[in-house]
Amino acid sequence: MDNTKRKVRVKVPASTANLGPGFDTLGMALDLYAWIEMSIVEETRITLYGDQMNGVPTDKSNLVYEVAQMVFKRAGVSHPELEIAMYSDIPLTRGLGSSASAIVGALAAANGVIGSPLSDDELFQMATELEQHPDNVGASLFGGLVVAFWDGTRAEHIRVEPNPQLEVLVAIPHFQLSTEKARGVLPRQQSLENAVFNVGHSSVLVAALCTGRLDMIARAMKDALHQPYRAPLVPGLAKILAEATNHGALGVALSGAGPTMLALVDRSSTRKAELEQFMLGTLRQEGIEATLMWLNPDKPGVQVETLTAEDERCTLLEIVKGGVNA
Ligand code: HSE
């Protein structure tokens, strides 16, 4: 098909990074989504739908537009004018991988528009380079649980199928915390003891998640490298980290750079209401309002669909609000 006639629609999941000890290493895709439609046109037009898009630029400084141009450059083609429509349910700057989902969605959409000349691995390398760590982008791209590292040149990953018993409760505080600020409080040097602590806990956590040892999650999901330094930025976090497993959580962590907190929960737990009350109550005691959401791990990762003339009769908003699968 002629590239200039193709229109793609991409559905890309949110993600949680670190899962406690796996700083910049572990990511899990979540069933909260952003959608991007893209086609090549005569004059650029960027349309944003939904509250999460407030403040996002609609000119050529838009991140999705810029990332698309990087894909075209890498593929050796030139398409400076794009029609882009975006909708997102992923809250911005809350630790649920909104920027990673925008990057992965833009890479996948732009690659799809020109007939997919770049491999998933090339997209993963580009996404990691842009984000500077592979955890969120790996999860949004590949879905499931992603174990990854980046040596500054190449990112490597292994995708693990999420355990079907795992459900996720996130508490999303009603304030924003930039990744830049949350990384800025981390010490540049750490002790050997802290390094050993995290290598051990992260390794056992991955083994527990791979083998279905849900009983081990509470003991393995502990961190010495970033959460203790970030706790002062998120009132209530220290108590939630220390006590959520006494209220029905299998394990608990700061989601990415925060401020969202994430609890892994056994799907058949009878203590879900108790956990909800504990998390909300703890945050309220600190004067923090938060929204709770029950989520599931997303399995497919980013999904790209080439639209037919019939699909194009529905707008992006109609598709999203109608619950039609992209
Ligand atoms: N691993 C990253 C961090 C995720 O914790 O800073 C946030 O982008």
Side-chain angles (χ1 to χ4, degrees):
M1 189 196 272
D2 174 0
N3 286 345
T4 59
K5 294 194 167 51
R6 193 181 284 116
K7 182 169 182 176
V8 296
R9 181 179 296 143
V10 165
K11 180 183 181 185
V12 58
S15 59
T16 185
N18 306 328
L19 292 170
F23 181 68
D24 283 0
T25 295
L26 299 183
M28 188 162 71
L30 298 171
D31 65 347
L32 188 65
Y33 298 97
W35 285 260
I36 298 172
E37 281 183 358
M38 191 180 287
S39 56
I40 293 161
V41 289
E42 300 280 312
E43 195 178 341
T44 293
R45 189 166 57 237
I46 299 175
T47 311
L48 309 173
Y49 299 105
D51 298 343
Q52 304 303 342
M53 292 290 166
N54 290 339
V56 173
T58 54
D59 59 14
K60 289 183 177 176
S61 69
N62 179 282
L63 177 67
V64 169
Y65 175 89
E66 288 184 339
V67 172
Q69 294 306 321
M70 290 175 203
V71 171
F72 300 152
K73 191 170 174 204
R74 178 71 63 104
V77 296
S78 171
H79 295 297
E81 304 302 327
L82 294 174
E83 173 145 25
I84 297 170
M86 297 164 64
Y87 172 86
S88 180
D89 279 330
I90 308 171
L92 294 182
T93 336
R94 302 296 165 91
L96 288 168
S98 59
S99 78
S101 68
I103 288 170
V104 168
L107 290 167
N111 195 38
V113 151
I114 55 172
S116 302
L118 304 186
S119 66
D120 281 355
D121 183 63
E122 283 175 283
L123 299 185
F124 181 44
Q125 302 308 323
M126 289 176 77
T128 303
E129 182 101 32
L130 284 162
E131 270 279 280
Q132 296 283 296
H133 37 85
D135 40 5
N136 291 106
V137 293
S140 279
L141 188 57
F142 300 115
L145 174 70
V146 169
V147 187
F149 65 79
W150 184 50
D151 63 10
T153 307
R154 250 200 78 76
E156 303 293 353
H157 84 285
I158 291 182
R159 180 194 179 283
V160 176
E161 195 63 19
N163 187 294
Q165 275 305 107
L166 282 186
E167 210 176 341
V168 177
L169 176 62
V170 289
I172 309 170
H174 295 177
F175 68 89
Q176 301 194 340
L177 175 57
S178 73
T179 300
E180 195 186 355
K181 184 169 177 190
R183 289 179 87 84
V185 298
L186 304 182
R188 307 312 301 163
Q189 305 220 315
Q190 292 269 4
S191 66
L192 182 62
E193 286 76 11
N194 281 356
V196 172
F197 182 97
N198 269 58
V199 170
H201 283 73
S202 183
S203 303
V204 173
L205 178 61
V206 170
L209 292 169
C210 289
T211 57
R213 283 286 306 276
L214 303 187
D215 62 299
M216 185 58 82
I217 292 176
R219 280 168 282 166
M221 215 165 159
K222 293 194 190 317
D223 159 75
L225 292 183
H226 68 107
Q227 291 180 168
Y229 305 98
R230 287 170 164 174
L233 301 175
V234 185
L237 172 64
K239 181 169 167 156
I240 286 174
L241 290 178
E243 297 177 23
T245 53
N246 300 333
H247 295 277
L250 290 170
V252 64
L254 185 64
S255 181
T260 292
M261 284 145 273
L262 158 132
L264 297 184
V265 181
D266 189 326
R267 194 172 294 288
S268 46
S269 168
T270 55
R271 301 177 69 193
K272 292 181 184 176
E274 178 189 340
L275 183 60
E276 287 179 358
Q277 274 177 13
F278 166 71
M279 289 178 82
L280 273 190
T282 303
L283 291 169
R284 276 209 187 110
Q285 277 170 9
E286 299 287 343
I288 305 291
E289 289 302 318
T291 300
L292 294 180
M293 287 178 104
W294 284 97
L295 299 172
N296 291 293
D298 163 274
K299 292 188 189 170
V302 69
Q303 297 176 69
V304 183
E305 182 191 17
T306 302
L307 298 186
T308 61
E310 194 168 315
D311 296 324
E312 289 193 47
R313 279 192 219 124
C314 294
T315 66
L316 180 59
L317 206 57
E318 283 166 346
I319 293 289
V320 172
K321 291 300 172 193
V324 182
N325 281 335

